Amino acid sequence: MSSQIIETNPTSGSATTSSVRVNFGHAKTEINNLERMTEDRVVTTGDYDVQVANFTNDVTLAEGVRILIEIGSLSGGAGSANDTTTPTLNVDSTGAKTIVRQDGSALVAGDLKAGQYCDLIYDATATKWVWLNSPYAQLITSLKEEIAANVYPVGSIFTTTTNYSDSSNGAAVTTALGMASTVQWSRYAQGRTIVGADLGTTINSASSSSNVVTLVVTSHGLSAGDSITVSGFTSDTDANGSFTVDSTTSTNIVYTASNVSDGSLTGSNLLVINNAFDAGDTGGASNHTLSQVEINHNHFVVDGNGGSNRGLETTGDGSGGASGFNSSADSFNFSTSNRLYSDLYTDNNRNITGETVTPHNNLQPYITTYIWKRTA
């Protein structure tokens, strides 16, 4: 841009008003051009999606030109705002140019509202007006999606008391969590208690003798018969794998493995994992009928009549004292002289009676939720 200031004004001698005014006008224009900023604000006309702005001093489009507009009360637009994501602005008949956010992303419907002030700068490369003070909705949305994706990576479990639709790969769950539309969910389980998978117990030291391996740990919750996975041995990898616990002490876990050399076993990141609850396993029941073994409560009954009646023997005649019912001790004194008969008729002198045994409630205090698993 070449300067329009007339260096010879004012002429030598008395300066004329007009010559000074011309130079001040040129200087003002050139300063405004250098700052790339209009000196006034105009209210737009037209449609919310196709807006027009006419400044007192025409704007010439160039990289970095900056204008200030106020969105007028325009025609069209639901809710007095833009309907499309690509609204345009035509400044001083320079042509309709799309308005974009400060990061270059598209607007959303409703961004350009009546009465709103917009600070715009021209991007000559993209031929678009960049809205410098545009709402950060898209940036916030992107941030929310990224945070949600980190909180719920693929394989995560989400629980809720809201019954979302499972159509479109759980799109309703995706929307509720503010995640990207590409995320997918599936209904995972009903009536499940979530149990944490065993992350493993560190093995402090280990040794083997005749294929019997002894692990030394600080503490554990294993018992004989439990299934375990052992990992980390490098001195003899045959000690790694899945095994059944033979026996335990408070700090030892013993199992049998084939082809393990006698002596100390070494390695790195030595772990023993309880396989009782592997990730993804299901089990348990809401109701359960106890068997005799689980009840673990038996009464010994004297067979006094050759397999007919069974009876509990008690001394005395019930008058208290040393015989019969002892009221002071709240107990019976038993002997072989008297019997209190009851028609138990049980097998092998000990068993549950013939009464109907119904399942009992096996649930801890609970809250029912819908469970979802992220699949993509």
Side-chain angles (χ1 to χ4, degrees):
M1 180 185 68
S2 59
S3 175
Q4 301 300 309
I5 296 175
I6 303 172
E7 296 180 0
T8 58
N9 284 342
T11 57
S12 58
S14 299
T16 63
T17 300
S18 60
S19 64
V20 173
R21 181 175 294 170
V22 167
N23 271 357
F24 271 115
H26 290 319
K28 174 184 175 182
T29 300
E30 291 171 17
I31 290 171
N32 284 337
N33 285 337
L34 288 172
E35 291 183 345
R36 306 283 185 172
M37 186 73 180
T38 55
E39 60 183 337
D40 57 346
R41 166 193 58 80
V42 299
V43 179
T44 60
T45 59
D47 184 277
Y48 281 105
D49 292 314
V50 184
Q51 301 195 34
V52 176
N54 291 307
F55 289 87
T56 302
N57 296 318
D58 285 350
V59 172
T60 301
L61 291 186
E63 179 68 30
V65 169
R66 193 167 176 180
I67 62 174
L68 179 64
I69 63 173
E70 177 185 346
I71 306 299
S73 296
L74 310 176
S75 61
S80 298
N82 61 297
D83 287 327
T84 72
T85 60
T86 56
T88 61
L89 176 66
N90 187 345
V91 178
D92 294 328
S93 299
T94 55
K97 311 297 180 185
T98 302
I99 303 172
V100 296
R101 296 180 183 277
Q102 62 268 61
D103 63 350
S105 61
L107 273 61
V108 297
D111 271 350
L112 296 173
K113 298 178 176 64
Q116 194 169 37
Y117 280 64
C118 299
D119 185 7
L120 304 171
I121 191 169
Y122 189 67
D123 181 348
T125 302
T127 65
K128 295 178 179 179
W129 286 106
V130 179
W131 185 8
L132 296 179
N133 61 330
S134 61
Y136 286 87
Q138 183 62 38
L139 300 177
I140 293 173
T141 297
S142 298
L143 181 60
K144 286 172 59 180
E145 289 178 353
E146 183 175 352
I147 292 173
N150 288 328
V151 173
Y152 295 105
V154 174
S156 296
I157 298 297
F158 168 65
T159 62
T160 176
T161 55
T162 301
N163 187 13
Y164 293 111
S165 169
D166 60 357
S167 63
S168 301
N169 296 309
V173 177
T174 296
T175 301
L177 294 177
M179 305 184 77
S181 59
T182 54
V183 172
Q184 298 181 7
W185 295 85
S186 65
R187 290 188 182 274
Y188 183 58
Q190 178 182 1
R192 300 292 184 200
T193 298
I194 298 177
V195 177
D198 184 15
L199 299 179
T201 299
T202 300
I203 301 170
N204 299 328
S205 62
S207 61
S208 176
S209 176
S210 301
N211 293 324
V212 176
V213 179
T214 301
L215 309 178
V216 179
V217 298
T218 302
S219 63
H220 66 87
L222 293 165
S223 302
D226 286 345
S227 175
I228 59 173
T229 295
V230 180
S231 62
F233 289 120
T234 55
S235 61
D236 196 327
T237 57
D238 288 324
N240 298 325
S242 296
F243 306 98
T244 300
V245 175
D246 294 334
S247 62
T248 64
T249 67
S250 59
T251 58
N252 288 356
I253 303 168
V254 180
Y255 65 92
T256 302
S258 302
N259 304 317
V260 180
S261 302
D262 291 349
S264 297
L265 299 172
T266 58
S268 59
N269 299 320
L270 299 174
L271 288 176
V272 54
I273 297 175
N274 184 352
N275 293 335
F277 299 107
D278 289 334
D281 282 355
T282 58
S286 58
N287 288 291
H288 177 68
T289 303
L290 293 177
S291 65
Q292 178 190 344
V293 175
E294 291 171 323
I295 295 173
N296 196 27
H297 183 76
N298 294 307
H299 294 285
F300 182 76
V301 181
V302 176
D303 185 354
N305 287 325
S308 179
N309 289 342
R310 311 291 197 265
L312 297 177
E313 294 183 343
T314 179
T315 61
D317 54 9
S319 61
S323 61
F325 178 73
N326 186 338
S327 59
S328 62
D330 195 20
S331 63
F332 274 97
N333 298 320
F334 293 96
S335 74
T336 59
S337 58
N338 296 293
R339 295 182 179 89
L340 177 64
Y341 286 104
S342 177
D343 291 332
L344 298 178
Y345 292 103
T346 58
D347 296 331
N348 299 322
N349 289 346
R350 59 189 187 92
N351 209 326
I352 58 175
T353 66
E355 296 295 327
T356 300
V357 179
T358 58
H360 69 283
N361 187 295
N362 200 38
L363 296 174
Q364 296 181 0
Y366 65 90
I367 179 173
T368 301
T369 66
Y370 298 96
I371 303 177
W372 296 82
K373 182 179 180 180
R374 183 180 170 186
T375 56

